[in-house]
Amino acid sequence: MVCENHTRVTEFILLGFTSNPEMQISLFVLFLSIYVVTLLGNFLIVTVTSIDHALQTPMYFFLQNLSLLEVCFTLVMVPKMLVDLVSPRKVISFVGCGTQMYFFFFFGSSECFLLSMMAYDRFVAICKPLYYSVIMNRSLCLRMAVGSWMSGVPVSMLQTAWMMALPFCGPNTVDHFFCDGPPVLKLVTQDTAMYEMQALASTLLFIMFPFSLILISYTRIIITILKMPSATGRQKAFSTCSSHLIVVSLFYGTASLTYLRPKSNQSPESKKMVSLSYTVITPMLNPIIYSLRNNEVKGAVKRTITQKVFQKLDIF
């Protein structure tokens, strides 16, 4: 459908969180601090898992990919959000909005599948420990990682192409801090029932399918752990999964509130807070969770820092 007697929207206005200048400055400082911590934490994970030989295992290979995904994921929204907080005109072009939406769907879907691959890795490690090195060989890990990254292509292309092909002929004010699907869909000047059905179907496929794989993996893991005769063995086995379980709970719990209930009675402010949790807060918490709850990562960080210190002392 073309926009009859109306001009097609060429840009969108993002309302963000508040129009209060003082509050905007405070939010800018807060979110900038969170973003810096997010980048430092995730790049630290990438660095130590790359250079420390003790972490050259499938588990940390997937953790490295998760950290890279988190960096890319936040890069899609946070810089633009920070600019808007200090800019008097919070606009994004129609093409820019579609691009942001595409990469948001891409990295979000990729993370869903990567989390399921990490769950499968823990399943093999705990349920089939004698075959772990054979099953989780380098070739399989690379294919799983590439498959996880590429899994975001179909959903992002489909969702974005359908969304941006809809007619936007009226209001162009998005009551959100980035171009997310549900708030942008409200601006479409035609019945969107067909698109909503398609969006829900793809959401169920690309969010719930990997989540089902995670549930199956952890069901088998829990059964295996409960059969272990040693309490120490059970505790050690569970500790290797606890960080991943926390990350999965944070990511899926908040994302499900937005995309499995797109027409909920939540206020726009509540929806923004939920979106903020999985786009800004969770990527910051992930490296902290894995660092604080994992002795191997903490040991690798200490060794890396110590090595750098001694290298500098040798120079002097």
Side-chain angles (χ1 to χ4, degrees):
M1 179 185 294
V2 296
C3 298
E4 299 179 358
N5 301 323
H6 292 278
T7 303
R8 186 175 176 85
V9 168
T10 58
E11 64 180 21
F12 294 101
I13 300 172
L14 299 171
L15 290 184
F17 296 97
T18 178
S19 58
N20 187 319
E22 293 183 359
M23 182 64 72
Q24 286 181 338
I25 296 300
S26 299
L27 289 176
F28 174 82
V29 173
L30 174 63
F31 293 147
L32 178 61
S33 302
I34 292 175
Y35 189 48
V36 170
V37 172
T38 300
L39 293 179
L40 290 176
N42 283 291
F43 277 127
L44 180 63
I45 293 291
V46 172
T47 301
V48 298
T49 54
S50 299
I51 66 177
D52 195 285
H53 294 293
L55 302 184
Q56 303 299 307
T57 64
M59 174 181 174
Y60 296 108
F61 170 73
F62 290 122
L63 177 58
Q64 181 185 89
N65 277 267
L66 179 63
S67 292
L68 287 172
L69 261 177
E70 296 289 26
V71 170
C72 297
F73 190 61
T74 55
L75 188 63
V76 175
M77 286 84 61
V78 179
K80 173 61 177 171
M81 179 183 68
L82 292 173
V83 170
D84 286 345
L85 284 171
V86 294
S87 174
R89 194 163 181 263
K90 303 170 177 57
V91 298
I92 184 169
S93 67
F94 184 84
V95 174
C97 183
T99 303
Q100 187 181 57
M101 192 180 298
Y102 173 86
F103 283 107
F104 171 74
F105 289 141
F106 174 80
F107 292 120
S109 301
S110 299
E111 184 163 341
C112 289
F113 278 89
L114 183 62
L115 289 173
S116 69
M117 296 301 101
M118 296 174 75
Y120 177 75
D121 170 70
R122 292 299 83 206
F123 158 72
V124 177
I126 294 173
C127 300
K128 302 184 180 204
L130 298 179
Y131 301 97
Y132 180 71
S133 59
V134 177
I135 297 175
M136 299 303 295
N137 56 71
R138 182 170 180 80
S139 176
L140 178 63
C141 290
L142 284 173
R143 291 200 300 270
M144 291 169 66
V146 172
S148 297
W149 281 83
M150 291 298 100
S151 65
V153 173
V155 65
S156 56
M157 290 184 66
L158 183 64
Q159 294 276 51
T160 307
W162 270 53
M163 174 74 77
M164 305 316 286
L166 295 172
F168 293 88
C169 312
N172 66 336
T173 302
V174 181
D175 195 1
H176 210 47
F177 61 92
F178 72 100
C179 284
D180 196 6
V184 174
L185 190 63
K186 292 181 179 180
L187 306 181
V188 175
T189 52
Q190 76 171 35
D191 181 35
T192 59
M194 189 70 177
Y195 174 82
E196 289 173 23
M197 290 177 60
Q198 175 270 329
L200 181 60
S202 61
T203 298
L204 290 173
L205 176 62
F206 287 95
I207 292 182
M208 298 311 297
F209 176 69
F211 183 66
S212 299
L213 296 179
I214 294 173
L215 285 179
I216 293 172
S217 296
Y218 274 106
T219 299
R220 296 286 301 275
I221 288 171
I222 292 171
I223 293 173
T224 302
I225 290 176
L226 293 177
K227 291 181 179 178
M228 292 180 178
S230 169
T232 304
R234 290 195 297 269
Q235 183 178 2
K236 183 178 180 181
F238 182 75
S239 66
T240 64
C241 304
S242 57
S243 298
H244 182 252
L245 277 172
I246 294 172
V247 170
V248 168
S249 300
L250 287 171
F251 182 80
Y252 275 98
T254 53
S256 298
L257 291 174
T258 299
Y259 298 103
L260 296 184
R261 299 195 309 164
K263 286 204 169 183
S264 66
N265 293 324
Q266 285 181 315
S267 65
E269 288 71 24
S270 299
K271 291 181 179 180
K272 290 176 191 177
M273 294 306 296
V274 172
S275 298
L276 186 68
S277 63
Y278 64 80
T279 58
V280 179
I281 306 300
T282 300
M284 177 192 69
L285 292 178
N286 286 353
I288 297 174
I289 292 170
Y290 275 102
S291 298
L292 293 180
R293 299 185 62 85
N294 192 306
N295 291 327
E296 289 182 334
V297 173
K298 287 191 287 187
V301 171
K302 291 179 182 178
R303 288 192 296 271
T304 301
I305 294 175
T306 303
Q307 184 180 6
K308 295 298 182 182
V309 170
F310 278 115
Q311 286 178 351
K312 289 185 178 181
L313 290 176
D314 290 339
I315 293 176
F316 291 105

